[in-house]
Amino acid sequence: RQMCIRDRRRVHGIQQSMKSCLLWIFGLLQFSYQWSYPGHIVVYMIARNEIGKDICNQIDNLMKVMTEPQANYPNVYEYSLWPDDIKSRYDYMLLNGWHVNWMPIYEGIDPSKVKYSVDPKFNVVHTVIEAMQTLKYKGPYPYHFDGQLEKSYMLRFLIHMVGDQHQPLHQGTLCSPKHPTCDSGGIKFKINHPSLELHALWDWAMSKDCLLYTSDAADDTPCVDLGG
């Protein structure tokens, strides 16, 4: 019975945290343009609620090792957005593969005829493993490095990549007669919507843009017409 009571209290605590998260997130919708804002922040908020204050303080201190103004945020939850921010701010696309794990999904096509391969060392799963190894490493370090800058960098990616793994179109890519080289996680799947393609629509989930797109439409008009 005591375990049951503790479980109920824990569930209630998580529910209360989720309510706070959602209220805070909906307050951000006026600024939201991609999965980053609602998706990554919600995942990180839930994680921080579970890991405890001491570990959160360690995380926050390690984040601040990177002192550049563009690498710091007024709110701790927004650090989960940094890997996407550097892509949009600096057109830094070199590490795009770190954000996804596009396993092929075959539909109406012979897999042997699909021209697509997965790099086992350039995807979100491998990045999470690399980040964890970096954070656990205790030395020795060459020259006068202490490893804190590298750990701060990889911690940001770890937090972000865990959020990316909760995004459906970061996890699979459709291979079909229309997309014989696969659709790059929906990027090549064109739709009638301001986001233009299916991957971006998921990235914009809960965003102001999608809400505005539907606000002036008839009740039976969907948010998006899927083309493909």
Side-chain angles (χ1 to χ4, degrees), residues 5 60 101 129 150 184 203 211 216 224:
I5 292 173
D60 296 341
N101 186 34
I129 295 172
E150 291 83 357
S184 298
D203 274 3
L211 297 176
D216 297 327
V224 56

Side-chain angles (χ1 to χ4, degrees), residues 96-102 122-125 164 169-171 199:
N96 268 359
W98 282 19
H99 296 251
V100 300
N101 186 34
W102 284 337
F122 195 61
N123 59 55
V124 68
V125 176
D164 271 340
L169 293 184
H170 281 240
Q171 299 302 311
H199 186 99

Side-chain angles (χ1 to χ4, degrees), residues 6 14 27 30 38 65 131 143 150 154 159 168-169 176 190 206:
R6 285 199 300 270
I14 294 174
Q30 58 180 319
V65 171
Y143 307 109
E150 291 83 357
M154 292 306 289
I159 292 170
L169 293 184
S176 66
K190 304 306 178 183
M206 293 175 61

Side-chain angles (χ1 to χ4, degrees), residues 29-100:
L29 288 182
Q30 58 180 319
F31 306 110
S32 299
Y33 295 98
Q34 54 186 323
W35 165 258
S36 291
Y37 277 94
H40 285 289
I41 288 177
V42 164
V43 171
Y44 189 34
M45 290 177 85
I46 294 172
R48 287 179 68 94
N49 183 66
E50 292 293 304
I51 60 181
K53 185 176 180 180
D54 290 343
I55 296 178
C56 284
N57 289 337
Q58 293 180 48
I59 289 173
D60 296 341
N61 290 333
L62 189 53
M63 290 288 195
K64 295 173 184 176
V65 171
M66 296 180 66
T67 57
E68 297 84 353
Q70 297 85 353
N72 287 281
Y73 298 85
N75 190 294
V76 294
Y77 303 112
E78 295 180 63
Y79 282 92
S80 63
L81 312 178
W82 182 75
D84 273 350
D85 285 347
I86 60 174
K87 287 201 302 180
S88 58
R89 187 179 293 138
Y90 305 113
D91 198 29
Y92 187 64
M93 303 300 177
L94 177 64
L95 302 178
N96 268 359
W98 282 19
H99 296 251
V100 300

Side-chain angles (χ1 to χ4, degrees), residues 20-29 37-38 41-42 45 206:
S20 300
C21 288
L22 290 174
L23 287 173
W24 194 81
I25 290 301
F26 280 116
L28 278 175
L29 288 182
Y37 277 94
I41 288 177
V42 164
M45 290 177 85
M206 293 175 61

Side-chain angles (χ1 to χ4, degrees), residues 94-130:
L94 177 64
L95 302 178
N96 268 359
W98 282 19
H99 296 251
V100 300
N101 186 34
W102 284 337
M103 302 305 294
I105 300 171
Y106 303 105
E107 184 176 285
I109 191 170
D110 183 349
S112 64
K113 296 182 180 180
V114 173
K115 298 179 181 179
Y116 178 78
S117 61
V118 179
D119 187 341
K121 292 189 176 182
F122 195 61
N123 59 55
V124 68
V125 176
H126 187 261
T127 303
V128 167
I129 295 172
E130 288 286 308

